[in-house]
Amino acid sequence: MMKWVLFTPELYYLLMAGVFFWCSIQRHLNVRRLYVWAVVLSGVGLVVAVAAARCEGTLFFDSYRVDLFSQVFKIFLALGMFWVVVVCSELKGIDARRHAEFFFLLAVCTVAMMMLVSAVELLTIYIALELSSYSLYLLVPMRRRADEFVETGVKYFMIGSTASAFMIFGFSYLFGITGTTYVAEIMARLPGLFHEPAAVIGLVLALGGFFFKQALFPFHMWAPDVYQGAANQVTTYIATTSKIAAAAMVIRFIGFAGEGTEAFVMLLMVLSVVSMTFGNLVAIIQKDVKRLLAYSSIAHAGYMLVGILSMTPRGYASAVYYALAYLIMNFACFMVILKVADDGHNLQIKELAGLHKRSPLLAMTLMLGLFGLAGIPPTVGFTGKFFVFAAALEKGYLLLVIIAMINATISLYYYLIVIKAAYLLEPVREYGPVRVDRWTRSLSIVLVILMIYVGIFPDKFVLLAEAAAAALR
């Protein structure tokens, strides 16, 4: 097999980025035609990612691994970008002359995240991570009336740059103590070096950079402001596709650790518990739907870590399944936000009052998405939590699972507040009808079916997740 075939999805998205870059330098551009091209190209990108799923091999002196794990996450990333592009038919939150730049940065960021899920060497990870981060730094202040939200973009850049600096500092320690930059060799040698402070400091700083992308406590501080300050379409991309790449990176890195030391597992447990508890408790008092989902994402990063810290094939498989479930559930919620706040403003919970009358389909999609995030059966979120908790119980982490279940119960409170607004409250003023085009209607039906079907019949998806997790070794 030709080596370049292993790089097919990345090459395709690079080509797509080139097309949008060419569009961005044109004087006159038909935004409607640009949107159609974006849908077609991202749809073909999804097909290319699926077609390349069986590719296996290594590139660039074994620093880049193409295996089932990376290919599965590339399909998730391509699916996430396709969904985000489909709901960008009007892009009212972003100035029309920047639409081509918006799609260009989405394509570049997706390429970078595809590189990230295949990278198994520190410098390769760093370059891919920075490329995706800088694309997001540019997307966040792209919102119309940017002067009101430029502070958010600057804060995101400053905090992200600081996290990146600490991460590369940690990488230097890991290289210094182990003598290699390959993750598998580092994680194999680290257990015997934990008596050296440099090994602990290096691992903690490196993981801090990864957890920053995943918005795990205490590396979460950027998430609420960025979710609120970015255009709704950009927030949708960050909350779904970007989070999937971060989860893959954490799973890959910890997956090389083998059984792990007791202190390392204890550190991950503490981060998981604090992240779940903090995210859920602060989400209760939120009135802005995007901020609520930002704190919810912090809690879900903790749930996902429950499966990862089990450090067993079943635990990694449960985290892969949970990542898919989170992509579906979270996108369903953000799609409703995009359509209800069709002028691009930040949606408040009270504005959802009477949504079941204005658009029954969107109200049902939102309800199932939130039920899934809360872990209510028979949704995909319930099955995802079940697998994650089962993996932890298998390792004997009963107390951790009890804490996670208490947190899931707490989260049900604020999710129900949103559902109550959509179904039981009457609006205090007249809101306009929600326009649901045929693309949105079709996507809503697909998401509703997926949230139920993948939850009730998870067998094939679990087998795929187990096969992807097995490729980590």
Side-chain angles (χ1 to χ4, degrees), residues 300-321:
H300 280 275
Y303 294 133
M304 205 178 296
L305 196 57
V306 171
I308 298 172
L309 63 82
S310 302
M311 295 188 182
T312 61
R314 186 185 292 273
Y316 298 134
S318 69
V320 174
Y321 182 91

Side-chain angles (χ1 to χ4, degrees), residues 108-163:
V108 172
C109 193
T110 304
V111 173
M113 290 190 293
M114 285 185 170
M115 293 168 60
L116 191 61
V117 300
S118 275
V120 290
E121 190 266 344
L122 294 183
L123 291 179
T124 313
I125 291 173
Y126 183 74
I127 291 169
L129 191 62
E130 288 302 285
L131 184 58
S132 66
S133 297
Y134 277 87
S135 303
L136 296 178
Y137 298 153
L138 292 171
L139 279 168
V140 169
M142 196 175 272
R143 189 174 192 173
R144 183 173 286 174
R145 293 182 300 170
D147 51 330
E148 294 180 19
F149 303 101
V150 70
E151 184 183 345
T152 301
V154 173
K155 277 183 182 174
Y156 187 33
F157 172 71
M158 296 298 290
I159 296 173
S161 301
T162 306

Side-chain angles (χ1 to χ4, degrees), residues 368-385:
L368 283 174
L370 292 173
F371 274 164
L373 289 171
I376 301 294
T379 61
V380 64
F382 166 77
T383 313
K385 281 191 173 62

Side-chain angles (χ1 to χ4, degrees), residues 20 31-39 42 80-96 98-100 102-103 106 139 231-237 240 331 334-335 338-339 342 437 439-440 443:
F20 290 125
V31 293
R32 191 63 199 169
R33 189 177 300 169
L34 178 71
Y35 168 71
V36 173
W37 272 108
V39 171
S42 58
M81 179 173 173
F82 175 65
W83 281 350
V84 170
V85 170
V86 167
V87 295
C88 288
S89 58
E90 296 185 346
L91 261 180
K92 285 190 175 178
I94 296 174
D95 198 289
R98 292 185 171 179
H99 285 193
F102 170 78
F103 291 123
L106 282 192
L139 279 168
N232 291 343
Q233 294 84 358
V234 175
T235 306
T236 304
Y237 186 77
T240 53
F331 181 81
F334 273 97
M335 187 192 70
L338 278 167
K339 292 304 168 186
D342 61 350
D437 54 44
W439 283 101
T440 306
L443 193 51

Side-chain angles (χ1 to χ4, degrees), residues 334-363:
F334 273 97
M335 187 192 70
V336 175
I337 293 173
L338 278 167
K339 292 304 168 186
V340 176
D342 61 350
D343 60 350
H345 73 280
N346 287 339
L347 187 70
Q348 303 298 306
I349 294 175
K350 62 183 179 184
E351 294 179 65
L352 289 168
L355 180 63
H356 71 290
K357 294 179 182 173
R358 298 160 64 198
S359 175
L361 181 59
L362 287 185

Side-chain angles (χ1 to χ4, degrees), residues 178-214:
T178 61
T180 178
T181 56
Y182 287 86
V183 176
E185 295 175 20
I186 289 172
M187 298 309 283
R189 296 175 190 176
L190 268 185
L193 297 169
F194 274 131
H195 60 281
E196 299 281 352
V200 178
I201 294 171
L203 183 61
V204 169
L205 291 179
L207 284 175
F210 298 163
F211 291 152
F212 171 82
K213 296 297 292 181
Q214 210 180 5

